[in-house]
C-alpha cells in the first residue's frame, strides 16, 4: 500500500456514498477516525452524516508506522473502491488502496476517546465537541432550522434586513443591556453632574448591544410590507437557568397591514414548516437524538417523563392546530388547577395580572391542553410599550407561543400604530420622546396597523433536538461567568 505525501484532490462525502445504490467504483474520502479495530477496520466520519463509513485497510501491506498513526481523532484521506460490505453493520465499505495521515491525534492526550462523555464535560471542550455524535447531530439540525426559516420567508415574499447590533435604544425596556464603549473604564471622563460624559465616547452617546431588532424591522415593514431579521441579540441578565443565554439569535418578522390574528397564523405556519423540514431532511440525526433522549428519560421519575418520543412530539406539533386563548382565560385555568390550589407551583397564581412563569406555561401546554398554545391579550403592565392597547385599557394585543418542555418560544404583538397612544405608553415606561423621534415618525407619516414577533432561535433548536440545556444547542455558549473559546 502506498503512503502518499500529497493530498488527493477529488473527494466524495460519506453521506453521498451511503445514500447511493452504486457499488464497485473508485472514491476518495477525507475525515476523522472514530475507531480503528484490529489494525484493519477504520470508522471514518466527515460530518456530512451521523453515520460513519468503514474503511478496510490491507494491514499486511501497510507500513507499521502508518498503522500506529491511525488513532481516534486523527484526520485521514483514504482512496479505494466502494464495494458491498463483507461484514454486518453497514451496506457498503471502502477497501483502501492508499491512505494519507493528514493530522495526528495523540492518543494519550486526545480527550474524546470512544466512550460516553457528560454534557458538562463536553461544554468544557466546546472546541472539540462538534466531533461527537450528539453535537454533530445538533449542529446539522441547527443548520437545517436556519435554512428552513430563510426558505419559509423567502417563499412568502419577505425581505431579509440586517438590524444593527449596536444600538442606543432599549427595545424591551428591561435595561439588561451590555455597554459598548471605547472610553477608559477606569478613568472615564465625567460631566458636571459627576456621571460619565458619553459625548466623548465613540458614538457621542451611550451605546449598547441590542436586545432586539424589532424596532428597526418596523421601519422596514412600513415601506417593504413584509420583512424579517435574523441576527445575534444580547441580554445582560444574570441568569444561569437551562433556558437563558447572554448571546443568542433571534428571528423577528414584521408585517404591515396585519393584525394579531395574522400574526398568530404566521407564527404557527412558520413553526410547522421548520419542524416538518427537519423531520424530512434530518431523519438520522433526529432518530439518534430520540434514542439519546429516551435513555435520559429513563433516569427521571415516572411522573416527569415525556409521554411522547421526540419524533412523535415533533410530528404532533405539525399535525395539530395550536390552542388559542386569552391570558384571562389562562389565568382562570391556572388558578383552578390542582398544582395551584395545592401550592405545588413555585409561583402560586393568586390574582389576575400575574406574570406567567415557565412552570405555568408548561402546565397549560403539557398537562391541560396537551398541545402547543398561543396566549393573547396580556395585561398592559407586564408587556412592552409598543404593543397595541385594547379597548378595555387594561390589556394589549400581545401573543406568546408556548411549546412543551420549553415554555415560551415566541413572543409578539400587534404594534401600537396610534401616535398619541404610543407617546402615552412611552411616558408610562419613562422613555424620552427625543430619543425615539425616528420611531415616532413612522406613526406620523403613513402609519398602518402592523404586527410581528420574535422567535428565540436556540429555543426552537432546543425543542427540535430534545436537548434539556440551551447551552448545548449553540456552538460557544455565553452566560454569566463564561465567555470561553
Amino acid at each position: 500500500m502506498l503512503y502518499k505525501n500529497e493530498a488527493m484532490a477529488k473527494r466524495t462525502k460519506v453521506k453521498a456514498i451511503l445514500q447511493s445504490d452504486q457499488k464497485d467504483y473508485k472514491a476518495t474520502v477525507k475525515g476523522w477516525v472514530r475507531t480503528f479495530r484490529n489494525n484493519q477496520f477504520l470508522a471514518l466520519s466527515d460530518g456530512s452524516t451521523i453515520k460513519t463509513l468503514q474503511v478496510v485497510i490491507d494491514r499486511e501491506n501497510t507500513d507499521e508506522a502508518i498503522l500506529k498513526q491511525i488513532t481516534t481523532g486523527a484526520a485521514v484521506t483514504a482512496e479505494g473502491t466502494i464495494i458491498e460490505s463483507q461484514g454486518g453493520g453497514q451496506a457498503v465499505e471502502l477497501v483502501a488502496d492508499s491512505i494519507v495521515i493528514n493530522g495526528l491525534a495523540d492518543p494519550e492526550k486526545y480527550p474524546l476517546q470512544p466512550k460516553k462523555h457528560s454534557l458538562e464535560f463536553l461544554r468544557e471542550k466546546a472546541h472539540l465537541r462538534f466531533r461527537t455524535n450528539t453535537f454533530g447531530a445538533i449542529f446539522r439540525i441547527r443548520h437545517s432550522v436556519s435554512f428552513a426559516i430563510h426558505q419559509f420567508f423567502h417563499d412568502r415574499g419577505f425581505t431579509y434586513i440586517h438590524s444593527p447590533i449596536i444600538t442606543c435604544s432599549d427595545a424591551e425596556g428591561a435595561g439588561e443591556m451590555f455597554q459598548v464603549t471605547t472610553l477608559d473604564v477606569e478613568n472615564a471622563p465625567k460631566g458636571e453632574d459627576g456621571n460619565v460624559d458619553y459625548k466623548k465616547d465613540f458614538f457621542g452617546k451611550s451605546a449598547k448591544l441590542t436586545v432586539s431588532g424589532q424596532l428597526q424591522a418596523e421601519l422596514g415593514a412600513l415601506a417593504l410590507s413584509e420583512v424579517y431579521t435574523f441576527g445575534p441579540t444580547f441580554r445582560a441578565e444574570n441568569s444561569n437557568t437551562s433556558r437563558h443565554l447572554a448571546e443568542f439569535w433571534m428571528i423577528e418578522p414584521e408585517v404591515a397591514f396585519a393584525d394579531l390574528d395574522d400574526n398568530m397564523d404566521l407564527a404557527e405556519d412558520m413553526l410547522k414548516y421548520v419542524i416538518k423540514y427537519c423531520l424530512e431532511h434530518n431523519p438520522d440525526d433526529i432518530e439518534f437524538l430520540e434514542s439519546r433522549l429516551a435513555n435520559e428519560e429513563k433516569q427521571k421519575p415516572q411522573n416527569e417523563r415525556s409521554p411522547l418520543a421526540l419524533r412523535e412530539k415533533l410530528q404532533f406539533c405539525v399535525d395539530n392546530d395550536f390552542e388559542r386563548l386569552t391570558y384571562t382565560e389562562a389565568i382562570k385555568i391556572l388558578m383552578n388547577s390542582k398544582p395551584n390550589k395545592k401550592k405545588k407551583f413555585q409561583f402560586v397564581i393568586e390574582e389576575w395580572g400575574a406574570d406567567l412563569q415557565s412552570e405555568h406555561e408548561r402546565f397549560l401546554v403539557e398537562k391541560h391542553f396537551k398541545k402547543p398554545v398561543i396566549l393573547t391579550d396580556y395585561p398592559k403592565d407586564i408587556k412592552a410599550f409598543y404593543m397595541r392597547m385594547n379597548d378595555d385599557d387594561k390589556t394589549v394585543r400581545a401573543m406568546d407561543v408556548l411549546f412543551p418542555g420549553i415554555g415560551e418560544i415566541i413572543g409578539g404583538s400587534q404594534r401600537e400604530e396610534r401616535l398619541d397612544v404610543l407617546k402615552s405608553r412611552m411616558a408610562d415606561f419613562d422613555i424620552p420622546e427625543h430619543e425615539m423621534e425616528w420611531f415616532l415618525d413612522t406613526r406620523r407619516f403613513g402609519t398602518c396597523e402592523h404586527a410581528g414577533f420574535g422567535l428565540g432561535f436556540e429555543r426552537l433548536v432546543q425543542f427540535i433536538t430534545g436537548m434539556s440545556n440551551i447551552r448545548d444547542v449553540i456552538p460557544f455558549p455565553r452566560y454569566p461567568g463564561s465567555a470561553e473559546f
Side-chain angles (χ1 to χ4, degrees):
M1 178 177 289
L2 298 175
Y3 175 44
K4 294 188 177 181
N5 292 316
E6 68 276 7
M8 303 160 191
K10 192 176 179 180
R11 180 188 186 189
T12 305
K13 289 292 188 74
V14 170
K15 183 177 182 179
I17 291 171
L18 298 180
Q19 287 183 339
S20 173
D21 294 328
Q22 188 178 353
K23 300 180 181 68
D24 301 317
Y25 65 95
K26 291 288 186 179
T28 299
V29 293
K30 300 171 184 278
W32 295 266
V33 178
R34 281 290 174 84
T35 60
F36 186 41
R37 298 181 293 110
N38 303 328
N39 269 1
Q40 185 176 17
F41 302 106
L42 186 161
L44 186 82
S45 169
D46 66 4
S48 61
T49 172
I50 198 165
K51 297 178 179 179
T52 58
L53 176 69
Q54 178 163 283
V55 177
V56 183
I57 297 173
D58 182 357
R59 60 186 176 185
E60 299 299 329
N61 296 307
T62 303
D63 193 311
E64 186 68 24
I66 297 175
L67 293 176
K68 288 182 179 179
Q69 293 176 334
I70 304 175
T71 60
T72 298
V76 302
T77 297
E79 186 178 59
T81 305
I82 299 295
I83 66 168
E84 185 173 349
S85 180
Q86 304 303 299
Q90 60 279 324
V92 296
E93 60 192 15
L94 183 144
V95 177
D97 298 324
S98 61
I99 191 158
V100 170
I101 310 298
N102 303 98
L104 301 176
D106 186 338
E108 300 298 322
K109 296 180 180 179
Y110 185 61
L112 300 182
Q113 294 301 318
K115 63 177 184 178
K116 185 175 182 179
H117 299 284
S118 71
L119 295 176
E120 291 77 11
F121 171 80
L122 291 173
R123 282 179 214 132
E124 296 173 2
K125 307 293 181 185
H127 57 305
L128 296 173
R129 67 177 181 171
F130 294 97
R131 301 186 184 192
T132 66
N133 279 333
T134 296
F135 287 93
I138 289 169
F139 292 118
R140 280 187 294 272
I141 290 173
R142 183 182 170 104
H143 163 78
S144 290
V145 175
S146 177
F147 180 86
I149 287 168
H150 284 297
Q151 189 75 56
F152 173 85
F153 286 118
H154 175 77
D155 290 348
R156 284 155 182 76
F158 280 67
T159 301
Y160 176 34
I161 65 171
H162 297 91
S163 54
I165 291 174
I166 299 173
T167 182
C168 297
S169 62
D170 181 359
E172 301 298 323
E176 296 165 335
M177 302 178 75
F178 289 101
Q179 188 81 38
V180 176
T181 183
T182 58
L183 297 176
D184 181 350
V185 294
E186 295 182 357
N187 195 26
K190 302 289 180 68
E192 293 182 359
D193 58 2
N195 295 322
V196 175
D197 184 4
Y198 286 107
K199 292 180 180 179
K200 297 180 180 178
D201 206 349
F202 186 90
F203 294 106
K205 59 178 70 174
S206 177
K208 309 285 198 306
L209 293 179
T210 187
V211 298
S212 170
Q214 179 212 310
L215 302 187
Q216 290 82 8
E218 286 192 48
L219 311 183
L222 293 172
L224 301 171
S225 288
E226 298 100 9
V227 304
Y228 73 103
T229 74
F230 191 161
T233 51
F234 308 84
R235 192 70 58 87
E237 181 180 0
N238 190 14
S239 173
N240 277 291
T241 76
S242 61
R243 300 170 63 246
H244 290 90
L245 291 166
E247 176 185 294
F248 52 99
W249 289 69
M250 289 280 287
I251 298 92
E252 296 176 288
E254 202 72 31
V255 182
F257 306 103
D259 61 17
L260 190 64
D261 290 327
D262 299 319
N263 209 28
M264 289 189 285
D265 291 342
L266 181 67
E268 183 169 344
D269 288 348
M270 185 203 67
L271 288 169
K272 288 181 174 181
Y273 180 95
V274 173
I275 294 170
K276 184 178 180 181
Y277 183 93
C278 291
L279 284 167
E280 292 176 353
H281 291 82
N282 297 84
D284 292 339
D285 292 321
I286 291 175
E287 181 181 2
F288 171 82
L289 292 171
E290 178 178 71
S291 176
R292 182 199 163 278
L293 181 61
N295 290 329
E296 192 178 80
E297 289 282 303
K298 291 177 183 177
Q299 311 303 317
K300 297 179 181 179
Q302 188 71 37
N303 63 338
E304 294 181 13
R305 296 178 187 176
S306 173
L308 297 175
L310 181 58
R311 282 175 294 184
E312 290 177 320
K313 180 179 70 174
L314 298 178
Q315 194 63 53
F316 186 80
C317 290
V318 172
D319 293 341
N320 287 278
D321 293 336
F322 295 3
E323 188 72 30
R324 302 182 183 188
L325 69 157
T326 66
Y327 166 91
T328 299
E329 292 168 329
I331 283 292
K332 290 178 181 177
I333 292 170
L334 290 166
M335 288 181 68
N336 292 320
S337 69
K338 287 184 179 180
N340 199 66
K341 289 182 176 179
K342 294 184 177 180
K343 301 190 183 301
K344 293 290 182 67
F345 284 142
Q346 182 181 354
F347 299 93
V348 176
I349 301 291
E350 296 180 343
E351 59 183 356
W352 188 93
D355 199 353
L356 300 186
Q357 305 297 318
S358 178
E359 60 180 341
H360 308 132
E361 296 168 344
R362 292 186 61 181
F363 173 84
L364 292 169
V365 172
E366 298 167 23
K367 303 296 183 182
H368 190 80
F369 290 108
K370 298 181 180 179
K371 60 164 62 174
V373 169
I374 306 180
L375 293 186
T376 67
D377 301 293
Y378 282 79
K380 66 176 183 179
D381 295 335
I382 61 174
K383 287 297 182 180
F385 75 94
Y386 50 74
M387 298 185 176
R388 197 184 199 281
M389 285 286 297
N390 282 319
D391 293 340
D392 61 14
D393 202 35
K394 292 171 52 182
T395 61
V396 291
R397 297 291 283 161
M399 70 167 210
D400 284 347
V401 180
L402 314 179
F403 261 24
I406 300 292
E408 180 195 337
I409 199 167
I410 280 178
S413 71
Q414 183 175 332
R415 314 311 191 188
E416 183 55 78
E417 84 281 8
R418 298 164 296 184
L419 178 62
D420 56 337
V421 180
L422 182 59
K423 290 169 71 171
S424 175
R425 291 287 285 155
M426 288 172 61
D428 292 340
F429 280 79
D430 295 320
I431 299 173
E433 284 188 28
H434 70 273
E435 293 183 2
M436 300 290 288
E437 284 298 322
W438 55 272
F439 186 68
L440 293 173
D441 271 355
T442 59
R443 275 63 175 175
R444 295 187 179 106
F445 310 128
T447 190
C448 67
E449 65 177 7
H450 58 288
F453 61 78
L455 165 67
F457 181 65
E458 279 75 24
R459 288 193 182 180
L460 179 55
V461 177
Q462 192 180 358
F463 176 76
I464 294 174
T465 60
M467 299 303 291
S468 58
N469 196 312
I470 201 167
R471 296 174 187 177
D472 295 326
V473 298
I474 190 169
F476 305 104
R478 299 315 192 214
Y479 50 92
S482 181
E484 302 300 322
F485 313 106

